[in-house]
Amino acid sequence: MISTRPRGRASEFFDRSAQDDLLQLRNDLMTVYREFSAEDPRLFPLRYARTVPRRARTTRSSPRDTAEPQVPVLLIPDGPARASVLPYDALRRSMAGRGLDVLMMEHRGVGLSRLDAEGEDLPLSAMSLREVIGDLVAVLDHARVERAAVVGSGYGAYLAQALAVLHPERVHSLVLDSPLTSARDEATAREALRGLYWEGTDPSSATTARTLRRLAREGTVDASRAGPVVLAVHEHGGPEAVRDLVDLLAVGRGHLTWTSVRQVLNQAWLQSTPYVIEHDLTARILHTELGGGHHADGGPLDPLVLEAGQARAVPPFTAEPLDLHELAPAITAPTLVLTGSQDLISPPRIARALAERIPDAQLLEIPGARHSILDTRSRILQVAARWSACGAAHQLPERAAELAALPVSATDLALSRGLQIALAAERYSPWRLRLESARAERARLQRERARSDPRPHRGRLPPSERADPV
């Protein structure tokens, strides 16, 4: 049996090779051997899953399908650290039930595509965008798919654009979900987060922004470290959850939820869960080639501080290997750009600008949706993928309201409800109520003493009732 090196706490006792042997028994798992790079001819097994279609079906809750798919779907998830095979197993089966022939490639350096032919981790020199794009072509060749409807989310949308530019003959159509378009996108996302929750440029969040600034002045919140927490709460609970958490902090509650979210974000296991997300090898692509964390400035609500810290482990970013802003007008495939109106990781302005750069591209903005329609609103993504494979995706923007009514994904719903429960527990927990009752009673006694005390400070309110600075 092949042995592998332990890679941190998450996989210290994880027998990856045994799990590989088990997964290779699956009838939907394919292998194509790829060179490490153009300069290194050694081979490694690149894995991809293919789920063949069953009889198509329609549902009452989704737009009615009007045609049969013309081509298979190549579905590329976000990344580059995200696995494809295990996390999206149920999604592929669901799409197959709608008549789709679905291919999903495991990103090199992750999960089933992490080891070389001798069972050792791929070298960092094998991690490059150029090779990943070649991997996509190799998968299509191995699967004997001449053209595919390419559906990409986040980093996957970046790869989809590159594939459409460099190999247009292989791309039937494009669906670009929450797209990454350049290293500059993260600066755009940071300004969107600050504008909403620090500067209060949106009237709906102005009060939350004022309260958050006051909490930072008082030292209740460290503004330089608050960005990832606020972003995570927004992405899993929406503006309402951010408002509720900030309001709780303003009255001395909410610290447990705030600290818990921050500690989860700081946990190394989030970056090294085998077959789900594995950041260590792919960090070279994310930080060195795509500039992840490069625009961190350490200012208030900077969501990039964690990525900036991770980027120190790999060579620094200098420039992207592809300028997709310049190359996008060369895309000839029919394109649908998907975005959520509340996405703060890839804000709608990025998607709108991309739709303007690609000739005849259609923009579908889902009201109330947040980042990654693939992960948070997979029913919408399935409809978009099928209509794209049928050559009818251009009709979807007029059905945005109907699509927005489709239910959210089960995982996202569980995370959202978990956050709601945590906030409710801090708001209504018995010990909190007793504490607040004691504070209210103390304030009442102070008011009575102030009214009966003839000394000069008579009439002053206790600190808990004085006006807070804005």
Side-chain angles (χ1 to χ4, degrees):
M1 181 176 291
I2 296 173
S3 63
T4 60
R5 298 191 302 271
R7 297 176 302 99
R9 184 175 301 173
S11 56
E12 187 173 355
F13 303 105
F14 191 87
D15 191 345
R16 180 181 291 272
S17 58
Q19 187 72 2
D20 280 357
D21 293 340
L22 175 63
L23 291 174
Q24 288 183 63
L25 298 176
R26 297 166 52 119
N27 60 10
D28 65 339
L29 191 63
M30 313 295 174
T31 302
V32 53
Y33 282 87
R34 287 278 293 152
E35 294 180 345
F36 283 10
S37 66
E39 296 78 21
D40 190 339
R42 289 179 294 170
L43 300 177
F44 78 97
L46 177 73
R47 310 291 170 79
Y48 68 95
R50 186 170 191 176
T51 309
V52 296
R54 300 192 299 276
R55 184 170 60 87
R57 67 172 183 266
T58 58
T59 63
R60 294 181 180 179
S61 59
S62 63
R64 185 174 299 279
D65 297 320
T66 58
E68 290 301 314
Q70 302 171 10
V71 293
V73 171
L74 176 61
L75 183 56
I76 314 173
D78 204 350
R82 188 76 58 86
S84 302
V85 174
L86 293 185
Y88 297 100
D89 211 351
L91 174 65
R92 289 193 303 274
R93 291 197 301 270
S94 179
M95 294 176 72
R98 289 172 168 77
L100 292 172
D101 181 358
V102 185
L103 295 88
M104 289 191 78
M105 180 188 79
E106 195 92 303
H107 293 307
R108 63 166 57 202
V110 178
L112 298 168
S113 296
R114 180 185 177 93
L115 306 180
D116 64 17
E118 297 180 353
E120 297 294 325
D121 286 347
L122 290 175
L124 292 180
S125 60
M127 298 294 112
S128 74
L129 281 169
R130 179 182 65 179
E131 301 303 334
V132 172
I133 296 168
D135 291 344
L136 293 171
V137 176
V139 165
L140 293 176
D141 288 342
H142 188 267
R144 298 183 180 180
V145 172
E146 294 185 4
R147 301 172 74 221
V150 183
V151 180
S153 179
Y155 165 75
Y158 187 100
L159 295 179
Q161 296 169 69
L163 186 66
V165 169
L166 301 177
H167 302 277
E169 73 283 356
R170 310 306 296 267
V171 178
H172 167 271
S173 54
L174 286 174
V175 175
L176 306 176
D177 162 32
S178 309
L180 172 66
T181 66
S182 80
R184 298 186 295 274
D185 288 357
E186 66 176 22
T188 301
R190 181 189 60 217
E191 296 313 312
L193 179 69
R194 282 179 177 164
L196 191 62
Y197 292 123
W198 186 256
E199 299 164 0
T201 54
D202 190 321
S204 65
S205 64
T207 301
T208 300
R210 285 196 300 270
T211 305
L212 195 55
R213 293 196 304 270
R214 175 172 62 81
L215 292 172
R217 288 195 302 270
E218 295 172 350
T220 303
V221 169
D222 183 352
S224 65
R225 300 172 58 195
V229 177
V230 173
L231 179 61
V233 173
H234 172 93
E235 286 298 323
H236 295 298
E240 299 82 7
V242 177
R243 180 198 63 214
D244 291 347
L245 179 55
V246 171
D247 287 348
L248 285 172
L249 290 171
V251 294
R253 308 183 191 180
H255 294 282
L256 180 59
T257 300
W258 181 278
T259 302
S260 298
V261 172
R262 187 179 65 194
Q263 289 177 343
V264 167
L265 293 173
N266 288 331
Q267 291 300 312
W269 58 263
L270 282 177
Q271 307 295 337
S272 57
T273 304
Y275 299 99
V276 178
I277 183 167
E278 302 180 58
H279 179 81
D280 53 345
L281 296 184
T282 58
R284 186 178 184 276
I285 295 176
L286 175 62
H287 302 299
T288 304
E289 296 201 322
L290 294 176
H294 177 70
H295 291 88
D297 61 10
L301 261 60
D302 185 358
L304 306 173
V305 291
L306 297 179
E307 286 194 6
Q310 296 164 358
R312 299 189 186 101
V314 295
F317 170 73
T318 55
E320 294 174 78
L322 293 173
D323 186 344
L324 289 185
H325 282 205
E326 181 180 346
L327 296 173
I331 294 177
T332 57
T335 302
L336 177 69
V337 182
L338 275 174
T339 185
S341 65
Q342 294 185 2
D343 187 353
L344 287 182
I345 296 177
S346 179
R349 60 181 289 191
I350 294 175
R352 294 170 193 148
L354 177 60
E356 292 178 357
R357 286 193 299 272
I358 299 177
D360 300 320
Q362 300 291 314
L363 176 68
L364 173 56
E365 186 168 338
I366 305 299
R370 295 183 285 277
H371 185 68
S372 184
I373 304 299
L374 170 65
D375 294 305
T376 62
R377 309 290 291 271
S378 64
R379 292 281 295 277
I380 298 175
L381 193 283
Q382 292 182 57
V383 171
R386 191 178 199 283
W387 284 46
S388 181
C390 294
H394 61 279
Q395 302 176 23
L396 285 176
E398 62 190 41
R399 313 185 80 148
E402 186 178 355
L403 290 166
L406 295 177
V408 301
S409 301
T411 301
D412 190 65
L413 181 61
L415 290 170
S416 178
R417 286 182 174 173
L419 184 58
Q420 292 172 4
I421 291 171
L423 292 171
E426 295 220 64
R427 185 181 298 112
Y428 300 118
S429 63
W431 72 271
R432 286 291 189 185
L433 292 176
R434 288 196 294 270
L435 178 62
E436 291 302 312
S437 297
R439 287 177 176 172
E441 178 65 16
R442 186 166 59 250
R444 185 185 66 79
L445 293 174
Q446 289 176 340
R447 284 195 299 269
E448 290 181 355
R449 285 196 298 268
R451 284 194 293 268
S452 61
D453 193 338
R455 289 178 296 178
H457 63 265
R458 175 184 175 182
R460 291 179 60 189
L461 292 175
S464 60
E465 294 190 348
R466 296 173 192 166
D468 291 319
V470 177

